[in-house]
Amino acid sequence: MKTYQVVGIGNAVVDVITQADDSFLEHMGIGKGIMQLIERERAEVLYGAMGERKQAAGGSVANTIAGAGNLGMRTAFVGRVHDDALGRFYAEAMEKVGTAFVNPPVPGGELPTSRSMIFVSPDGERSMNTYLGISAELGPEDVDEAVAAAAEIVFLEGYLFDKDKGKDAFTRMARACSAAGGKAGIAISDPFCVERHRADFLQLIENELDYVIGNEAEIRSLYETDDTEEALAKVSAICSLVCCTRSGDGVTIVADGQRTDVGVQRIVPVDATGAGDGFAAGFLFGLAQGRDMQTCGRMGCAVAGEVIRHVGPRAETELLQVLEAAGLA
C-alpha cells in the first residue's frame, strides 16, 4: 500500500471570499464570472474594499485534494507559500484537513503568499481576482520525487503552465509517479492557458499522462475547435482516460475508447466556486477504488453538487455521507 492515494501539485492560494452585487463589481472594474490575474497593488485595493470576509486555503488542485481528504483518502499537496501570516495559515489549514503539506513555508526575501479575492454575486457567479505571488515560482526543485513515487495518483494543475519551471515540475512529478507504477493526470484549468501553451499541453498529455480532466471550453481549446465531439475524439486518441464536464449537461468520460455519459441534477448554485475541483475529488476517489466510469462520474457530480450548495470552494459536510445518500458509497 502506497503512502498516499492522491498527491496534488498546484498553486497554493489563500481564498478571501465576500458577497458583492453587480453594481459593486462594475464600480470596482471587476469582470463578472471570470478569473483575472492582478498585481500586488490591485490586490491590496480589492482586499481593502471587501466587506465581511471568509478566508480559506484554496487553489484549484488544492481544493480537489482537500475534497479527497474529506472522503477519507490519504493525501498530500505540493505547493509554494511564503513564511508570512498567510503562508503559515495555508500550511496549517491543509494539515488540519488531513492533507500533508510537504513543502515548508519559504523564508527570506521571496514574494508574498498568493491570494485570490473572490466576489460572489447573488446569482452564485464568482468573480476571482488572483495575485499569484510566490506560488507562481514553483519549480522542479519543489518536487520531492519520493513523494511522487509514494502516490497511487498525482494530479497536476494547468494554471502552473505559464512558466517553464512549472512545466518542468509537472514532468518531474509525473515521471516519478509513473515510474513507481502510479497514474499521473492533469486538470486543464483554463482555456486561455491552453491557448498560450497548446503544444506543450498536448505533448505532456500524449507522452507523460494517464488521464485528463477538463470542461468543454478547455477540451475544445486543445484543438482550436468549437466542436466538443471533435476535440473529445482527438484527445482520447492520445490519452487513455479523458473526462469532460459539461456544467448542467453532465459529464462525458472516454476510457480506452469506451464512452460513458453521466447525467447531473440541475440546481441553482449558492456559489459555483470550486465545482470543478469538487468533481475531480469525487472522480479520483472512484478511480482509486477501481470503480467503473459511470460510478466515478456520478461520485464526481455528487461532490460538485454539494460544493455549490454553500459559499466557498470546499464542502463543509462529510462527503462520504453525501455519497451514501446518493447510493454510491
Side-chain angles (χ1 to χ4, degrees):
M1 184 175 68
K2 296 213 173 195
T3 305
Y4 306 112
Q5 289 172 289
V6 59
V7 174
I9 177 172
N11 281 306
V13 183
V14 177
D15 287 334
V16 187
I17 306 167
T18 193
Q19 303 283 336
D21 58 25
D22 289 358
S23 62
F24 175 87
L25 299 180
E26 184 177 353
H27 174 70
M28 296 300 296
I30 297 169
K32 183 178 179 180
I34 62 173
M35 192 281 285
Q36 293 179 304
L37 294 178
I38 59 175
E39 298 300 323
R40 187 172 181 175
E41 183 176 350
R42 171 73 167 164
E44 292 171 353
V45 169
L46 292 182
Y47 184 84
M50 299 181 96
E52 183 178 348
R53 310 179 188 97
K54 179 179 180 179
Q55 185 171 287
S60 177
V61 163
N63 291 334
T64 295
I65 297 304
N70 185 318
L71 286 162
M73 300 181 78
R74 302 182 305 279
T75 60
F77 182 70
V78 176
R80 191 173 178 89
V81 298
H82 185 53
D83 189 13
D84 53 19
L86 283 180
R88 291 188 291 273
F89 163 81
Y90 193 98
E92 291 168 4
M94 293 297 283
E95 293 283 350
K96 280 182 180 178
V97 297
T99 292
F101 190 76
V102 297
N103 295 344
V106 180
E110 295 272 355
L111 293 169
T113 295
S114 310
R115 73 287 312 266
S116 181
M117 276 63 67
I118 302 174
F119 298 87
V120 182
S121 45
D123 59 3
E125 283 286 353
R126 82 279 195 204
S127 307
M128 305 172 67
N129 301 264
T130 303
Y131 168 60
L132 288 178
I134 193 175
S135 71
E137 298 303 312
L138 187 146
E141 68 278 6
D142 295 303
V143 174
D144 184 341
E145 292 184 348
V147 171
E152 294 177 16
I153 298 170
V154 297
F155 193 38
L156 318 174
E157 182 178 314
Y159 285 127
L160 281 175
F161 245 61
D162 271 324
K163 291 195 174 181
D164 287 342
K165 61 173 66 177
K167 298 173 189 176
D168 292 342
F170 280 3
T171 300
R172 183 172 184 175
M173 189 94 170
R175 288 179 179 174
C177 177
S178 297
K183 295 182 182 296
I186 194 168
I188 299 176
S189 298
D190 180 46
F192 301 108
C193 189
V194 174
E195 289 174 11
R196 294 189 292 269
H197 309 285
R198 184 171 288 107
D200 286 337
F201 259 106
L202 290 172
Q203 188 278 332
L204 185 76
I205 291 169
E206 181 171 11
N207 298 309
E208 307 288 353
L209 301 183
D210 301 291
Y211 67 93
V212 174
I213 300 176
N215 62 32
E216 286 186 280
E218 293 158 357
I219 296 290
R220 291 195 300 258
S221 184
L222 286 171
Y223 294 98
E224 299 179 88
T225 179
D226 293 326
D227 188 333
T228 300
E229 295 300 322
E230 176 189 352
L232 267 173
K234 288 183 176 179
V235 70
S236 60
I238 64 170
C239 187
S240 60
L241 176 55
V242 179
C243 186
C244 177
T245 59
R246 300 171 180 259
S247 189
D249 294 325
V251 180
T252 296
I253 303 166
V254 183
D256 296 320
Q258 298 298 309
R259 177 175 177 140
T260 302
D261 290 299
V262 182
V264 65
Q265 177 189 4
R266 287 178 175 268
I267 63 173
V268 177
V270 173
D271 175 11
T273 310
D277 307 334
F279 172 84
F283 181 82
L284 293 178
F285 176 71
L287 190 66
Q289 290 189 325
R291 307 294 289 271
D292 63 88
M293 290 299 103
Q294 180 72 218
T295 302
C296 290
R298 289 180 61 203
M299 285 177 165
C301 291
V303 174
E306 184 63 25
V307 168
I308 66 176
R309 283 179 165 89
H310 68 272
V311 174
R314 301 181 182 181
E316 297 172 349
T317 50
E318 292 290 336
L319 289 176
L320 280 177
Q321 294 179 7
V322 172
L323 296 188
E324 287 172 1
L328 296 169

